[in-house]
C-alpha cells in the first residue's frame, strides 16, 4: 500500500517563495506527480518526477529524493491566483494499473 | 478540444433513487477512472478501466458500479445512493497510466448530494 503525507494548510505572502513538502511510503515507486486544484475545480497537472533531483518549469519547481521518500513543490514569485490546493500523487509500480494515489492536498492561501 | 466531460455537474437526490453519472472523453484514451473527493480525505479511487470491457475496483468501490462498453464512455452508477455517497466526483483518463509522464486529464467534477 501507499501512505502520502503533506501539510493540510499553508499561508504565504504575494511575491514570496513557498515550499510544500510531501513524504510517501510505497513498495514500488514509479513516479511522483504534483497537481494544482482551485476550489471546486478539476485538478490540473503541474509536474512529474521519476528520478532524483529538481525539475523546473517557470515559477514552479519540484524536487524528488527517492531514498528519503520525499518531494517538495517550490512556488516562486507567488501570485494571488496561486491560492489553491496542491496535491501530491504517487504512482506505484505494483499498482500502476490504478494510475495514481493522491495525498489529501495542501491548501495554500496567498495573502497580499 | 481534448477533454473529459461529466454530467450532471450538480445533482441532489434522495436515498435509494438510482442514478448514473456519465463520463465521456474524446482523446481515445485507453484508461479511465472515477475518483471521489471529500474534505480531509483527498481524491480516492472508486473504479478504473484499462480498456473496453476491462474494469477493476479502486480503494472505495462499495455502493458503486461501472461499465465500459465503448472506449470513450465510462459511466458511474449508484444503484441505491446513500447519504455517505454525498461527495464531489471526478472522472479522469489517460493513455497508459503506468509509464512515463502520462498525465491524468480530469473532468470538471460532479457534485452529488444524497438526502
Amino acid at each position: 500500500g501507499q501512505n502520502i503525507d503533506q501539510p493540510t494548510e499553508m499561508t504565504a505572502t504575494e511575491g514570496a517563495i513557498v515550499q510544500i513538502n510531501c513524504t510517501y511510503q510505497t513498495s514500488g515507486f514509479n513516479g511522483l506527480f504534483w497537481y494544482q486544484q482551485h476550489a471546486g475545480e478539476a485538478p490540473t497537472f503541474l509536474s512529474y518526477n521519476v528520478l532524483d533531483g529538481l525539475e523546473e518549469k517557470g515559477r514552479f519547481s519540484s524536487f524528488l529524493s527517492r531514498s528519503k521518500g520525499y518531494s517538495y513543490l517550490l512556488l516562486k514569485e507567488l501570485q494571488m491566483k496561486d491560492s489553491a490546493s496542491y496535491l501530491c500523487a504517487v504512482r506505484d509500480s505494483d499498482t500502476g494499473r490504478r494510475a495514481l494515489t493522491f495525498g489529501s492536498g495542501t491548501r495554500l492561501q496567498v495573502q497580499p | 478540444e481534448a477533454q473529459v466531460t461529466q454530467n450532471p455537474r450538480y445533482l441532489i437526490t434522495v436515498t435509494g433513487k438510482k442514478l448514473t453519472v456519465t463520463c465521456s472523453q474524446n482523446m481515445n484514451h485507453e484508461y479511465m477512472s472515477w475518483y471521489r473527493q471529500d474534505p480531509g480525505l483527498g481524491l480516492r479511487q472508486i473504479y478504473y478501466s484499462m480498456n473496453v470491457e476491462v474494469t477493476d475496483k479502486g480503494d472505495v468501490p462499495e455502493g458503486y458500479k461501472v461499465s465500459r462498453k465503448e472506449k470513450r464512455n465510462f459511466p458511474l452508477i449508484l444503484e441505491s445512493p446513500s447519504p455517505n455517497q454525498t461527495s464531489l466526483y471526478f472522472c479522469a483518463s489517460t493513455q497508459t497510466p503506468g509509464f512515463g509522464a502520462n498525465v491524468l486529464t480530469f473532468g470538471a467534477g460532479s457534485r452529488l448530494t444524497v438526502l
Side-chain angles (χ1 to χ4, degrees):
Chain A
Q2 297 173 8
N3 188 31
I4 302 171
D5 288 312
Q6 47 182 133
T8 303
E9 291 189 11
M10 298 182 72
T11 302
T13 304
E14 191 175 15
I17 299 173
V18 70
Q19 177 175 312
I20 302 174
N21 296 324
C22 171
T23 59
Y24 64 88
Q25 294 173 309
T26 183
S27 54
F29 178 83
N30 190 24
L32 187 142
F33 294 73
W34 284 94
Y35 280 76
Q36 180 190 59
Q37 185 180 23
H38 286 97
E41 297 183 9
T44 55
F45 170 74
L46 284 179
S47 69
Y48 166 70
N49 296 72
V50 68
L51 299 176
D52 292 349
L54 189 68
E55 293 284 340
E56 297 185 80
K57 191 184 293 186
R59 295 189 298 115
F60 292 22
S61 304
S62 57
F63 172 82
L64 175 67
S65 170
R66 289 172 295 170
S67 63
K68 295 181 180 178
Y70 168 69
S71 173
Y72 68 73
L73 180 69
L74 194 71
L75 292 74
K76 303 175 186 175
E77 301 170 16
L78 279 172
Q79 302 175 9
M80 298 300 290
K81 67 178 182 180
D82 297 329
S83 292
S85 288
Y86 292 86
L87 313 180
C88 174
V90 173
R91 184 170 60 203
D92 187 321
S93 58
D94 293 340
T95 58
R97 290 158 55 91
R98 294 170 52 186
L100 297 177
T101 298
F102 287 84
S104 299
T106 299
R107 189 165 66 187
L108 173 67
Q109 184 174 358
V110 179
Q111 296 179 336
Chain B
E1 180 188 353
Q3 59 185 359
V4 177
T5 303
Q6 298 179 222
N7 281 295
R9 293 288 316 282
Y10 302 92
L11 179 64
I12 300 174
T13 190
V14 295
T15 299
K17 186 176 181 180
K18 180 180 178 180
L19 69 90
T20 299
V21 186
T22 63
C23 175
S24 179
Q25 49 94 4
N26 62 0
M27 296 166 282
N28 202 37
H29 284 165
E30 293 187 350
Y31 182 96
M32 298 185 74
S33 180
W34 277 102
Y35 292 87
R36 61 177 288 174
Q37 188 173 37
D38 303 288
L41 297 177
L43 283 163
R44 294 180 292 167
Q45 191 177 47
I46 303 170
Y47 269 94
Y48 65 95
S49 170
M50 294 294 289
N51 213 324
V52 175
E53 302 292 0
V54 180
T55 63
D56 211 341
K57 297 177 180 179
D59 295 313
V60 288
E62 295 77 19
Y64 304 94
K65 288 173 59 177
V66 293
S67 69
R68 188 89 181 273
K69 293 183 171 57
E70 305 165 286
K71 198 171 188 178
R72 63 183 293 125
N73 295 323
F74 190 45
L76 179 70
I77 303 156
L78 287 73
E79 292 273 1
S80 183
S82 62
N84 64 12
Q85 292 178 297
T86 293
S87 188
L88 179 59
Y89 291 87
F90 287 101
C91 181
S93 74
T94 188
Q95 183 54 26
T96 48
F99 305 97
N102 283 293
V103 175
L104 278 173
T105 299
F106 285 85
S110 297
R111 186 168 292 281
L112 171 66
T113 301
V114 183
L115 302 176

